[in-house]
Amino acid sequence: MKRSILWFRNDQRLADNAALAAALATSQEVLPVLIMEPRQAAASPYGFSRLGDRRAQFCHEGHVDLDARLRATGSALLVRRGDPASILQELASRWGTRTVHAQRLFAWEEQQQQQAVAAVVDLRLNEANTLLHADDLPFSLERLPHVFTAFRKTVEKDFTVRHAIPEPAHIPTPQDWVDAARSDDSALYTPAPSDPRAVLRFTGGSSAAQERMAHYFGEAEHLGRYKETRNGLLGADYSSKLSPWLATGAVSAREVYHAVKHYEQQHGANESTYWLIFELLWRDFFQFSAAQHGRRIFLRNGLTGKSITATTDARRFAAWCEGRTGQPFIDANLRELLHTGWMSNRGRQNVASYLVHDLGLDWRMGASWFERMLLDYDPCSNWGNWQYVAGVGHDPRVGRRFDPVRQAAMYDADGAFVKLWT
Ligand SMILES: Cc1cc2nc3c(=O)[nH]c(=O)nc-3n(C[C@H](O)[C@H](O)[C@H](O)COP(=O)(O)OP(=O)(O)OC[C@H]3O[C@@H](n4cnc5c(N)ncnc54)[C@H](O)[C@@H]3O)c2cc1C
């Protein structure tokens, strides 16, 4: 009987899951496992845990949903806590297999983890959750263009998005695995109360992701006006809000792309439908950049290697984290993050610029706070965007400072957003 372990990482879904498809194609029995790593919740260099309660809860909800969906196919998710290499080695030996299928991840720590696991089992890595398959790029990852526009123009010349892989109806798993797969990671966080001011009640897992997709793509007025509304600050529908589910892999970038194409067939293509795919290309760009640059996306001098001066003043940083800088527009955005785990893209650009250019703080402090707080934290998108704002990443222009007074006048002209969070 050929068995293989299916190691779920940031791919909380059964549809369009290449690792699952590979496991099913090559084995008669599949053993799904998810491993919570203590590293993810370890203390950052700035003294707080890298994993905040809201993100932990969102991930937990995703695990519960994944388990329920697996059980509907005859399988079940085993959730373990510890070092992936040791756990996978132990499971492989106990269940009589050496093969482990998993999704490839591009960020540095995840790559280190892949190497450690590959040293003890036969690790078969499958495609990452990107819109474009790395093998379809017209250049090798080592030769990724440094500037986003060059990347986009090159890939748009021959734009190939592969089909999404259908969700399997049945996953063969031994009954004793299903019976043993009772696990609970809820103790790893304290449930946070939901804030009535939140733009959306984000629930983890692919079921909620599909609901959000059906809502956002189901009616003409949302996606059809995305380009005009995407700089919004208030309400559920100024942007897709799909990032938390993309970050946990509850939905694939390809599924989002095909949903946009379906929308275009129903309602027609326009600048807005193009723009959502354009944003998914930004996401891809940061994923591929992380693969190319490894540890450098976390270094103070970034990809440019140029020396920057910054302070690590703890009081200034605490005021920024808690939304007490005294700058109303900045504080409103930071309080939204503190109380909900969400901040708009417009808000993120502003608070990041403020931390770097107005407070003179080390950009990595802000990036670490985002890692802790954001529901949609993704190492590639987060550190890549922070480097960009700090002028040590992919931005061809340096010293790009946002003027918060002007920004508030443009994007919160009636002050409703600041009022909501005061
Ligand atoms: C300092 C800073 C830190 C950020 N940290 C993260 C992060 O940790 N995780 C994260 O997913 N995004 C991050 N972003 C990017 C962006 O702010 C969010 O992806 C976006 O606000 C999510 O909202 P949405 O899903 O409604 O996006 P939409 O506007 O609906 O866009 C659709 C999707 O495109 C992708 N996308 C959009 N903009 C970007 C971008 N600039 N970079 C990468 N992908 C993008 C996201 O996956 C998003 O869900 C960061 C931006 C900044 C300026």
Side-chain angles (χ1 to χ4, degrees), residues 143-336:
R143 295 190 163 272
L144 179 78
H146 183 68
V147 176
F148 171 73
T149 307
F151 164 78
R152 178 182 59 78
K153 285 187 174 162
T154 311
V155 298
E156 279 182 347
K157 275 187 202 146
D158 181 16
F159 202 69
T160 315
V161 177
R162 295 189 184 186
H163 291 294
I165 306 165
E167 180 165 342
H170 176 64
I171 299 175
T173 300
Q175 192 56 45
D176 35 356
W177 177 280
V178 174
D179 293 341
R182 302 245 173 266
S183 39
D184 183 16
D185 55 355
S186 58
L188 299 180
Y189 65 89
T190 311
S194 56
D195 192 303
R197 297 168 293 181
V199 287
L200 199 66
R201 164 77 180 101
F202 289 98
T203 304
S206 67
S207 304
Q210 294 302 329
E211 275 171 36
R212 178 65 193 164
M213 294 245 287
H215 171 82
Y216 193 72
F217 297 130
E219 288 170 40
E221 78 257 25
H222 299 143
L223 178 58
R225 296 186 52 237
Y226 169 72
K227 190 151 185 275
E228 296 100 73
T229 60
R230 57 183 281 276
N231 281 307
L233 301 163
L234 288 165
D237 297 325
Y238 60 77
S239 65
S240 75
K241 309 287 190 309
L242 286 170
S243 53
W245 292 290
L246 279 162
T248 48
V251 68
S252 74
R254 260 191 324 227
E255 287 181 283
V256 177
Y257 173 85
H258 291 301
V260 173
K261 291 288 138 188
H262 181 72
Y263 173 98
E264 287 180 342
Q265 280 164 8
Q266 309 277 308
H267 305 283
N270 64 12
E271 276 200 314
S272 287
T273 59
Y274 168 77
W275 212 264
L276 198 108
I277 294 164
F278 173 95
E279 294 297 348
L280 289 175
L281 283 181
W282 264 111
R283 182 176 173 278
D284 270 19
F285 181 64
F286 286 125
Q287 296 281 326
F288 297 138
S289 166
Q292 183 192 34
H293 294 291
R295 261 186 82 223
R296 284 166 70 206
I297 71 163
F298 302 103
L299 299 183
R300 175 163 141 156
N301 296 340
L303 311 184
T304 59
K306 85 175 169 225
S307 181
I308 53 163
T309 48
T311 168
T312 53
D313 185 293
R315 285 178 59 171
R316 228 183 274 181
F317 180 49
W320 181 87
C321 293
E322 291 160 21
R324 295 186 286 100
T325 67
Q327 206 312 316
F329 186 59
I330 298 300
D331 288 345
N333 279 290
L334 288 162
R335 285 182 203 149
E336 181 184 25

Side-chain angles (χ1 to χ4, degrees), residues 7-232:
W7 173 28
F8 279 99
R9 306 173 83 198
N10 283 357
D11 51 344
Q12 295 180 350
R13 66 183 186 281
L14 303 186
D16 200 25
N17 188 320
L20 169 59
L24 285 171
T26 55
S27 19
Q28 289 152 305
E29 288 188 329
V30 177
L31 313 170
V33 62
L34 186 141
I35 302 168
M36 308 280 301
E37 290 171 82
R39 172 186 64 80
Q40 292 167 335
S44 75
Y46 311 105
F48 46 76
S49 155
R50 293 172 60 182
L51 178 65
D53 282 338
R54 285 183 202 280
R55 184 154 66 83
Q57 179 170 346
F58 187 79
C59 289
H60 169 69
E61 290 163 355
H63 303 164
V64 172
D65 180 72
L66 181 60
D67 181 48
R69 293 180 86 98
L70 280 165
R71 284 182 190 274
T73 69
S75 185
L77 184 68
L78 176 69
V79 181
R80 293 281 298 271
R81 186 153 200 261
D83 167 50
S86 318
I87 290 175
L88 290 167
Q89 188 177 29
E90 176 221 311
L91 289 174
S93 130
R94 178 137 51 100
W95 290 84
T97 178
R98 259 190 66 74
T99 312
V100 176
H101 296 276
Q103 174 191 235
R104 180 185 301 281
L105 294 175
F106 286 132
W108 172 250
E109 284 181 354
E110 287 72 10
Q111 293 211 33
Q112 299 300 297
Q113 187 188 72
Q114 283 160 196
Q115 281 179 19
V117 170
V120 294
V121 293
D122 177 12
L123 178 63
R124 313 264 175 97
L125 285 175
N126 294 271
E127 57 184 313
N129 182 9
T130 47
L131 181 59
L132 305 175
H133 195 296
D135 293 349
D136 298 339
L137 295 174
F139 37 73
S140 66
L141 286 181
E142 294 75 43
R143 295 190 163 272
L144 179 78
H146 183 68
V147 176
F148 171 73
T149 307
F151 164 78
R152 178 182 59 78
K153 285 187 174 162
T154 311
V155 298
E156 279 182 347
K157 275 187 202 146
D158 181 16
F159 202 69
T160 315
V161 177
R162 295 189 184 186
H163 291 294
I165 306 165
E167 180 165 342
H170 176 64
I171 299 175
T173 300
Q175 192 56 45
D176 35 356
W177 177 280
V178 174
D179 293 341
R182 302 245 173 266
S183 39
D184 183 16
D185 55 355
S186 58
L188 299 180
Y189 65 89
T190 311
S194 56
D195 192 303
R197 297 168 293 181
V199 287
L200 199 66
R201 164 77 180 101
F202 289 98
T203 304
S206 67
S207 304
Q210 294 302 329
E211 275 171 36
R212 178 65 193 164
M213 294 245 287
H215 171 82
Y216 193 72
F217 297 130
E219 288 170 40
E221 78 257 25
H222 299 143
L223 178 58
R225 296 186 52 237
Y226 169 72
K227 190 151 185 275
E228 296 100 73
T229 60
R230 57 183 281 276
N231 281 307

Side-chain angles (χ1 to χ4, degrees), residues 326-381:
Q327 206 312 316
F329 186 59
I330 298 300
D331 288 345
N333 279 290
L334 288 162
R335 285 182 203 149
E336 181 184 25
L337 178 65
L338 191 65
H339 294 291
T340 70
W342 177 260
M343 193 193 293
S344 67
N345 185 56
R346 181 57 39 193
R348 295 178 204 205
Q349 289 180 316
N350 272 279
V351 303
S353 161
Y354 195 80
L355 180 133
V356 172
H357 299 297
D358 293 63
L359 298 180
L361 286 164
D362 185 330
W363 66 271
R364 294 171 305 171
M365 300 170 89
S368 290
W369 182 248
F370 270 29
E371 171 171 0
R372 171 178 170 72
M373 300 305 295
L374 280 176
L375 289 179
D376 66 16
Y377 171 69
D378 170 273
C380 311
S381 291

